């Protein structure tokens, strides 16, 4: 009888160990997935020399695995729009570089807020809010630049800038 009990206790403890191993493996798997997702997002948000990547001569979709912010507009632009788009992108290049540096700095600040001891959730949240705001400003500028170029190419007045939404 004792022999049967010892055997069943052994099975229970190995089952418990097995579930602990599964939990550890699950945690490792989730961590790896988050790491990969973070790396992909970081590459997408890394704006180093974004404007220089825009090829106004119809980029080869296979040539650049990391498309620039204007690639969609350039790729789909009729021939008569391309010169206007090229001029608009070039005129915005200096501002784009400043904005991208601000975004890199804001991302760095957000990471620092996550690492800070003691951790301050409000400060981290504010840092991430700044990152989101900068991304929105950059995206709005890209859209306005492209829309303006398209409008000028067709002899129309570019649309007015929408008023800022109160936050």
């Amino acid at each position: 009888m004792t022999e049967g009990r010892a055997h069943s206790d052994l099975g229970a403890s190995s089952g418990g160990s097995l579930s602990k191993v599964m939990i550890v493996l699950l945690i490792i798997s989730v961590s790896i997935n988050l790491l990969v997702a973070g790396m992909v997002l970081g590459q997408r948000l890394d704006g180093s020399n974004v404007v220089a990547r825009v090829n106004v001569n119809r980029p080869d979709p296979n040539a650049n695995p990391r498309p620039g912010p204007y690639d969609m507009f350039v790729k789909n632009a009729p021939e008569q729009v391309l010169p206007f788009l090229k001029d608009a992108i070039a005129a915005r290049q200096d501002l784009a570089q400043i904005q991208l540096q601000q975004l890199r700095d804001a991302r760095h600040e957000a990471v620092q807020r996550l690492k800070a001891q003691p951790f301050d959730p409000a400060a981290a949240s504010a840092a991430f809010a700044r990152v989101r705001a900068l991304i929105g400003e950059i995206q709005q500028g890209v859209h306005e630049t492209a829309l303006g170029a398209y409008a000028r190419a067709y002899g129309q007045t570019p649309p007015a800038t929408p008023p800022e939404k109160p936050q």
Side-chain angles (χ1 to χ4, degrees):
M1 183 76 138
T2 335
E3 188 177 313
R5 180 182 291 162
H7 183 0
S8 66
D9 288 345
L10 179 62
S13 68
S14 69
S17 296
L18 183 61
S19 67
K20 288 178 184 175
V21 169
M22 293 301 290
I23 290 172
V24 168
L25 290 175
L26 178 62
I27 290 171
I28 290 171
S29 175
V30 168
S31 299
I32 290 171
N33 286 330
L34 289 173
L35 174 67
V36 170
M39 290 171 40
V40 169
L41 183 61
Q43 278 188 332
R44 286 285 189 194
L45 294 177
D46 179 37
S48 57
N49 209 9
V50 171
V51 177
R53 289 194 314 243
V54 175
N55 179 0
V56 180
N57 297 325
R58 303 289 181 168
D60 177 8
N62 300 323
N64 187 5
R66 252 176 81 189
Y70 293 98
D71 285 354
M72 175 184 71
F73 300 106
V74 171
K75 179 179 161 187
N76 295 302
E79 290 298 324
Q80 71 266 25
V81 174
L82 289 175
F84 291 91
L85 201 49
K86 180 180 178 182
D87 290 345
I89 293 168
R92 189 170 161 74
Q93 185 170 4
D94 291 339
L95 176 59
Q97 290 303 314
I98 291 168
Q99 287 179 315
L100 291 172
Q101 184 58 50
Q102 289 173 340
L103 179 58
R104 283 190 290 275
D105 293 345
R107 286 180 25 224
H108 177 73
E109 176 66 22
V111 169
Q112 294 306 310
R113 293 293 178 210
L114 290 175
K115 293 179 180 179
Q117 293 298 322
F119 176 68
D120 182 355
S125 179
F128 279 111
R130 177 70 180 139
V131 170
R132 287 189 304 274
L134 286 168
I135 290 170
E137 288 175 24
I138 292 168
Q139 188 175 39
Q140 181 178 356
V142 167
H143 293 168
E144 289 173 358
T145 299
L147 288 171
Y150 272 71
R152 284 188 290 285
Y154 292 115
Q156 299 173 3
T157 304
T161 304
E164 292 294 320
K165 293 180 183 177
Q167 292 184 340

